[in-house]
Amino acid sequence: VIWIVCYFERPLIHFASLLESPSRVDSVSHECSLSLTCSSILTNCCSDSNQSCFQVSSYSSSMLGGRALQILGLTLPPDGRLLCRFKGEIEQQGIIDEEGHPYCISPLLYETGWISFDVSTDGTNFNRSGEYLSVHPSKADPSFEVTLVNSTLWQNYGTPNMAGQLTMTWNSSLIESKRVNVELWGYREVSRSTAGSSSLQAEISYLYSLGRNISNTGDFSFFPQPREKFSMWELGNIRITASSTSEGERNVQSLWSGGHVLAWHLEQSFRDDPSAWAQRKCLQWDDLERKLPDFLDELIDCPCSLAQARADTGRFHTDYSCNIETGSVCTYHPGSVHCVRAVQASHGSGQQCCYDNTGALVLTGDSVGGSTPDRAHDWGSPPYGEPPRVPGFSHWLHDVTSFCYCCLWSDLCHVYLNRRPSSGCRRYQPPKAGVVFGNLHFITFDGLSYTFNGRGEYYLFLSTDKNLSIQARTEQLKLKNGTLVKAAQLSSVAMKENSSDVIEVRTAGDHLQVLRNQKILPFTEQRWMDLQGVFVFAPSPQNVTVIFSSGAAVELRLHEGAMTATVLLPVEFSNHSLGLLGWMNSDPSDDLTTRSGEVISANATQEEIFTFGAAWNISNMSSLFTYDSHYLLDSYFFPLSHDPAFVPAFSLPLKPDDTLAADMLSMCLGEGAQFCIHDTLISRSLAVGNATLRAYQHHQALMEALKPVVSCGWLPTPRNGKKNGTHYLEGKTLSFTCNEGYILYRSTERTCLQEGTWTGEQPYCITELSCLKLCCCILNQLETGTHQHNHTHLATKPAVAKNFF
C-alpha cells in the first residue's frame, strides 16, 4: 500500500487511475524524482523529491525582475556552476553570496503569474525545478521599489509651476554595492511586420543613465533636461543597479520605480508651451482612437451601487488607486471614494466603476471623476506579452498618458471622456448566491434553506454545460475539548472550471490553507495571485476568494473554527446548476433535485433530506481533493465518499431545565435564530451557535447588497441650465432649471419608473426670442390642427397656450 500511495501523490496523477491500471504502478513506483512537476505533497512519500524540486525565498517578484530568489536546500559542489533558466528560454548566470547561498535573479517579463524555472549545477543539465510568482509592479513588495519623491512633480514636470529638482529614494541595503548606477528605461508598443501581417509588440528598453558610479546613499537628485532624441518614449521606469554592471544590462539584481509618464524629459517644445503641445497630442490620440476597433459595447456594465460592487466579488475587485478601505486618494477620479475594476478583461480591455460617498455610481457625463473604461486592462490579460495585454504598461500607454494630454496638461478633457464614457448600469444583473455554513445548513441560490449533516465528499455545485465543479468535504464536528458531536461541518472545498488550475481551500487550525494542483500556495508576500484560468484573493488568513473566468466566485470564511462557503454565480448559470445548492431558476420549489432529476419536496423530513444529500457524493475518479495524509486517505479516499455509518442527530428538543437555554435564547435572536439554536444545542457550545448566527447574518447582508435595482440611465444637463441630482435609479427624481436669461422648455422634473424609463421629456433651455418663435409655431399648428403629439400638453389646452405669451 505504501508504494502505491507514493505514486498517487505524484502530481497530476490521480490515485483512482492506478486502481484501473496497476501496470502503470510497476513502471514508475520507484521513480518519484522523475516527476515533471514539483508538488508540496511529494515530500510525504518520495524521499528523493528534494533532488529534483526546490523552493525559493522570496517567492514573488515584480515582473520587472531584478530580485534575488534564494534557492533553498541546494548545495553546490566545489567546482559547481550555477545556471538559471526561466520558462525554458531565458538563461542567465546564478550568483553565490559570501555564505554560499545560491540565488537566481528574476528576469524582466511581460506577464504575471507563476513562472517555472530550472537550475543547473554543472553548467549542462537543468535537472532541478522550481517556480516563483511574477506580480504586477504595483503589487510588488514596496520596500524594493525606488520611490519618486513628490510624484505629482515627476508626472507634470514642465507644466506651469512644475519645475526644479527631482528626487528619488531607495533602500540602499538592497543593493550590495557601495556605488550604483541610476538608469532610465522606456516602454513602448511598436508595430512589427512578419509574413505579410503587422502586429504590436511590447518593448522595454534602456534609454540612458541619469547617474553612473554614484554613492549608494539611498537617494539621488537631478535637474532634468529635455531629451529630443528620446522624446518619443513617453512612459518609463527608473532602475538602480550596482555600478559593476554594464549600462542597460538586463536581468541583473536591481530596484525599479513605478511606471510613470516621462514629462520631465520631453522635448523643449513641451516646456515652451505645454498646453499647446498637449492639445496636439490629445487630438492625435483622438484621431488614432477613431480608427481603432470599438471596445465599449463588449464590456460588462458597472454595478449600480457601491454595495453591489463590493459584493460581486466574482466579477469586480477593488481598484487599489481609489480604495475606501485604505483611505487612498482618488487622484484620477476626484469626487469618488471607491473604484472597482472588472476582474476579467474583454479582448484586453477593462471596465472601471467609481462611486461617491452616497454609494452612487459616478458617471463621466456628470463629473471628470466618473467611471472610465480602459482600452487596456490595468492588470493585463492572457496572453500577457501581446499588446495591449501587458500588465500595467499597456494601460498606462493607452489610457493614462492620453489622460495627461487631454485632462491634466490641457483643457480638452471632453475629448478624452468622449472616448472613455462611463457605461452606466442599465444592463447590470447581480449574481445569485448560495451558502453552506454551520452544522450543516444550506441556503440555495433560490433561497431554500435546509440542513444536511452528512460526513463525506459531495458536489456543492456542478454544471457540466459550464464545466464548473465545486466539491465540499465535511467532517464530524469536534469541539475544542476533543468531544465528537453528532453533526458535521465543512472542512474543505475543491473546485475547477474548464482547464483551470484545481484550487482547494481547507481548514488548518485557525486559518485557511490554499492548494493549487496539490501544492500549497503561500500568501505571506502576496494577497492576490493570477493563476491558470482562476484568480485567488486572500485578504486575511481566515478569508479566501476564488474567482473563475466565467465570473463565478467562491468565498471561504473561517470563524471560531467553522468554515463557511458562499458561491456566487452570474445569471448565465441559470438552469445550469446541480448539487447541494440547488437548481438556479428563481424557483425554490425544485431546488432539492436528485441526480436522476427527481424533485424532493421542500417539506420533506430530515431523514428524506439526508438521503437526498447523501446521493450527491462524489466518486474517486471525479474527486478534485488532495489526499496528502494517512488521515485523509483512510477517512475519505479508501472508504465510500459518503459515510453511511455516520448518523447525525435529526431532532434536538429544547428541555426546560437546560442550563444553556437562557443564554442561548438571549443570543439566538432575529432572522437565523433557528440555525443558531440548532447548532448551540447540538454542540452544547454558545461559541459554535454564535459563529453560525454570524455566518447567517453575513449571508443576509450579502443578499441585501445584491438586490437587483432598476436604472433608467443617465440624463444630460440641458445646455445653459442645471440638473439637480445625479442618481438615476428607480424612484429618484431629477429637477432642471435654466440659467438667467433662458426659459425651460419641456419637463422641469423627471422620475425614474419601475419599468426603467423616465417620466416627462428631455428639457431644453432656450432664449426668450427662441421661446417666442416656438410658441408662435405651436399656435400656428393649433390653428391648423397639425400640432404633433409631443406638444399635446399645449394642444389640448389652447387657452393655456395663448396665455403662455
Side-chain angles (χ1 to χ4, degrees):
V1 173
I2 294 176
W3 56 270
I4 294 179
V5 172
C6 177
Y7 176 61
F8 155 66
E9 292 184 335
R10 295 178 72 233
L12 307 183
I13 303 297
H14 199 287
F15 183 84
S17 65
L18 305 184
L19 304 181
E20 301 294 328
S21 186
S23 60
R24 296 175 60 193
V25 178
D26 297 333
S27 64
V28 293
S29 59
H30 300 293
E31 300 179 2
C32 288
S33 61
L34 297 182
S35 238
L36 296 178
T37 306
C38 293
S39 170
S40 59
I41 66 173
L42 280 172
T43 56
N44 289 352
C45 74
C46 301
S47 59
D48 60 349
S49 64
N50 62 354
Q51 296 179 19
S52 61
C53 308
F54 62 80
Q55 294 182 339
V56 296
S57 179
S58 299
Y59 70 79
S60 67
S61 166
S62 163
M63 72 176 198
L64 294 171
R67 188 166 186 179
L69 309 173
Q70 182 181 352
I71 304 172
L72 303 178
L74 177 64
T75 303
L76 265 68
D79 58 344
R81 178 191 174 198
L82 181 63
L83 285 179
C84 311
R85 185 167 63 192
F86 294 87
K87 299 183 64 178
E89 55 189 38
I90 304 174
E91 190 169 314
Q92 60 197 49
Q93 189 77 36
I95 59 175
I96 311 295
D97 67 12
E98 294 179 354
E99 298 177 353
H101 299 141
Y103 293 84
C104 289
I105 305 300
S106 60
L108 191 157
L109 300 172
Y110 298 95
E111 63 184 289
T112 57
W114 286 93
I115 306 299
S116 63
F117 71 102
D118 310 306
V119 298
S120 170
T121 57
D122 61 7
T124 303
N125 299 305
F126 288 87
N127 52 10
R128 300 195 65 174
S129 301
E131 59 183 357
Y132 81 99
L133 185 66
S134 173
V135 302
H136 191 290
S138 67
K139 296 178 183 176
D141 187 341
S143 65
F144 282 78
E145 182 174 290
V146 177
T147 300
L148 305 181
V149 180
N150 190 352
S151 59
T152 301
L153 178 61
W154 282 81
Q155 180 169 272
N156 299 298
Y157 199 95
T159 61
N161 303 316
M162 292 289 174
Q165 198 174 52
L166 292 177
T167 300
M168 67 188 77
T169 61
W170 65 92
N171 185 343
S172 60
S173 66
L174 297 177
I175 297 292
E176 297 179 358
S177 173
K178 292 183 178 180
R179 308 196 73 79
V180 295
N181 301 327
V182 181
E183 303 172 341
L184 175 64
W185 288 61
Y187 176 84
R188 65 182 179 181
E189 294 174 357
V190 294
S191 178
R192 305 291 189 199
S193 298
T194 56
S197 62
S198 180
S199 62
L200 288 176
Q201 290 188 3
E203 180 182 332
I204 301 178
S205 296
Y206 165 77
L207 302 185
Y208 55 87
S209 292
L210 297 168
R212 299 288 300 171
N213 199 33
I214 66 170
S215 180
N216 184 16
T217 61
D219 65 88
F220 176 72
S221 299
F222 68 105
F223 287 95
Q225 299 298 323
R227 298 273 187 153
E228 299 284 342
K229 179 180 178 181
F230 298 100
S231 61
M232 75 289 295
W233 296 85
E234 298 175 358
L235 175 64
N237 305 69
I238 303 292
R239 190 182 81 158
I240 309 290
T241 64
S243 60
S244 57
T245 62
S246 303
E247 285 188 306
E249 185 177 350
R250 301 177 81 90
N251 302 330
V252 295
Q253 192 169 3
S254 55
L255 304 177
W256 291 83
S257 76
H260 61 284
V261 179
L262 303 178
W264 50 271
H265 90 158
L266 297 177
E267 62 262 39
Q268 186 62 44
S269 60
F270 171 72
R271 299 199 182 181
D272 292 340
D273 191 343
S275 178
W277 184 94
Q279 286 184 14
R280 288 194 299 272
K281 297 291 287 188
C282 177
L283 294 176
Q284 289 172 6
W285 170 79
D286 182 57
D287 185 59
L288 175 62
E289 281 286 311
R290 186 179 297 109
K291 300 173 184 176
L292 294 176
D294 179 48
F295 67 94
L296 298 175
D297 289 339
E298 300 174 354
L299 300 177
I300 182 175
D301 265 20
C302 288
C304 291
S305 67
L306 177 57
Q308 285 183 333
R310 300 180 71 182
D312 191 352
T313 53
R315 294 180 291 180
F316 295 92
H317 188 72
T318 298
D319 181 350
Y320 298 115
S321 66
C322 183
N323 184 359
I324 194 173
E325 297 169 6
T326 60
S328 65
V329 178
C330 303
T331 304
Y332 297 104
H333 297 277
S336 297
V337 298
H338 191 77
C339 294
V340 296
R341 291 188 184 276
V343 174
Q344 304 294 337
S346 176
H347 301 290
S349 302
Q351 180 65 282
Q352 185 189 47
C353 313
C354 298
Y355 302 85
D356 64 18
N357 57 9
T358 69
L361 180 64
V362 183
L363 305 178
T364 51
D366 299 318
S367 168
V368 295
S371 317
T372 51
D374 301 313
R375 181 169 290 280
H377 198 303
D378 184 22
W379 304 334
S381 60
Y384 289 105
E386 300 178 5
R389 300 173 181 266
V390 179
F393 284 113
S394 289
H395 171 62
W396 273 80
L397 195 64
H398 292 274
D399 302 292
V400 180
T401 56
S402 49
F403 182 84
C404 293
Y405 301 152
C406 304
C407 297
L408 296 185
W409 301 344
S410 74
D411 59 357
L412 296 181
C413 203
H414 62 280
V415 174
Y416 179 85
L417 297 179
N418 183 56
R419 296 293 176 189
R420 299 290 187 269
S422 301
S423 66
C425 68
R426 297 194 71 182
R427 297 178 300 174
Y428 173 76
Q429 293 179 291
K432 292 290 190 74
V435 65
V436 52
F437 63 102
N439 312 119
L440 242 169
H441 312 294
F442 295 78
I443 301 178
T444 67
F445 299 111
D446 295 335
L448 176 70
S449 62
Y450 69 94
T451 297
F452 164 63
N453 266 301
R455 181 191 179 280
E457 296 173 340
Y458 310 91
Y459 282 109
L460 193 59
F461 171 85
L462 176 66
S463 176
T464 54
D465 295 335
K466 301 291 186 179
N467 290 316
L468 174 61
S469 176
I470 304 172
Q471 302 173 3
R473 175 186 290 158
T474 66
E475 64 183 8
Q476 188 172 1
L477 174 62
K478 179 187 287 188
L479 303 182
K480 290 183 178 180
N481 61 10
T483 303
L484 289 173
V485 176
K486 284 191 174 183
Q489 66 180 4
L490 193 62
S491 63
S492 185
V493 177
M495 59 211 95
K496 183 180 190 296
E497 181 180 75
N498 293 316
S499 59
S500 75
D501 289 334
V502 175
I503 303 299
E504 182 177 354
V505 182
R506 62 189 185 186
T507 57
D510 62 350
H511 67 279
L512 295 175
Q513 186 181 75
V514 184
L515 293 91
R516 159 183 159 254
N517 300 333
Q518 302 181 342
K519 182 175 182 179
I520 295 173
L521 279 180
F523 283 92
T524 53
E525 297 176 18
Q526 296 295 322
R527 293 287 175 257
W528 176 278
M529 291 192 185
D530 302 3
L531 307 176
Q532 176 65 40
V534 63
F535 301 94
V536 179
F537 176 55
S540 76
Q542 293 78 35
N543 189 357
V544 175
T545 300
V546 182
I547 304 165
F548 291 102
S549 299
S550 63
V554 184
E555 293 183 359
L556 296 309
R557 296 175 182 271
L558 187 67
H559 178 66
E560 290 290 338
M563 184 181 186
T564 299
T566 301
V567 179
L568 296 105
L569 296 179
V571 293
E572 289 79 10
F573 280 85
S574 295
N575 298 310
H576 294 282
S577 63
L578 294 170
L580 293 176
L581 287 179
W583 181 258
M584 191 175 87
N585 64 349
S586 301
D587 180 8
S589 67
D590 60 2
D591 280 355
L592 301 183
T593 301
T594 66
R595 290 193 183 200
S596 62
E598 180 185 356
V599 176
I600 306 299
S601 170
N603 297 319
T605 65
Q606 285 294 310
E607 289 78 4
E608 290 173 329
I609 290 177
F610 186 78
T611 301
F612 156 80
W616 276 111
N617 64 320
I618 65 173
S619 67
N620 284 339
M621 292 298 293
S622 61
S623 174
L624 299 176
F625 290 104
T626 299
Y627 305 91
D628 55 354
S629 70
H630 289 292
Y631 167 75
L632 292 175
L633 286 167
D634 295 338
S635 301
Y636 292 98
F637 189 82
F638 292 119
L640 295 173
S641 57
H642 168 72
D643 184 358
F646 178 73
V647 180
F650 291 115
S651 60
L652 297 163
L654 176 59
K655 299 178 181 180
D657 58 347
D658 194 326
T659 56
L660 274 178
D663 290 337
M664 178 185 69
L665 294 176
S666 65
M667 176 183 71
C668 300
L669 298 173
E671 289 190 56
Q674 72 273 27
F675 304 118
C676 176
I677 292 173
H678 176 279
D679 290 5
T680 302
L681 290 176
I682 206 168
S683 66
R684 308 300 301 166
S685 168
L686 291 171
V688 170
N690 184 54
T692 296
L693 183 61
R694 289 186 59 177
Y696 176 82
Q697 291 171 342
H698 180 271
H699 181 70
Q700 289 303 104
L702 178 68
M703 297 304 294
E704 182 65 25
L706 290 175
K707 276 186 177 179
V709 296
V710 174
S711 171
C712 292
W714 176 76
L715 288 180
T717 301
R719 188 177 181 183
N720 301 311
K722 296 178 181 178
K723 176 176 62 178
N724 181 24
T726 57
H727 292 193
Y728 307 105
L729 304 184
E730 178 187 352
K732 299 296 183 181
T733 297
L734 303 182
S735 60
F736 304 88
T737 58
C738 292
N739 299 338
E740 186 176 354
Y742 292 86
I743 298 173
L744 187 71
Y745 173 60
R746 292 187 175 170
S747 303
T748 60
E749 286 188 345
R750 303 190 72 184
T751 300
C752 180
L753 301 178
Q754 185 179 8
E755 296 79 19
T757 59
W758 290 102
T759 61
E761 299 174 297
Q762 176 61 35
Y764 297 93
C765 292
I766 57 179
T767 62
E768 293 182 2
L769 178 59
S770 299
C771 182
L772 182 61
K773 291 180 179 179
L774 176 62
C775 292
C776 288
C777 177
I778 293 173
L779 279 178
N780 181 61
Q781 290 178 346
L782 288 173
E783 292 172 356
T784 60
T786 59
H787 184 55
Q788 300 298 314
H789 70 279
N790 61 325
H791 298 302
T792 54
H793 61 295
L794 291 179
T796 57
K797 298 181 180 180
V800 175
K802 293 180 180 179
N803 291 336
F804 182 75
F805 293 97

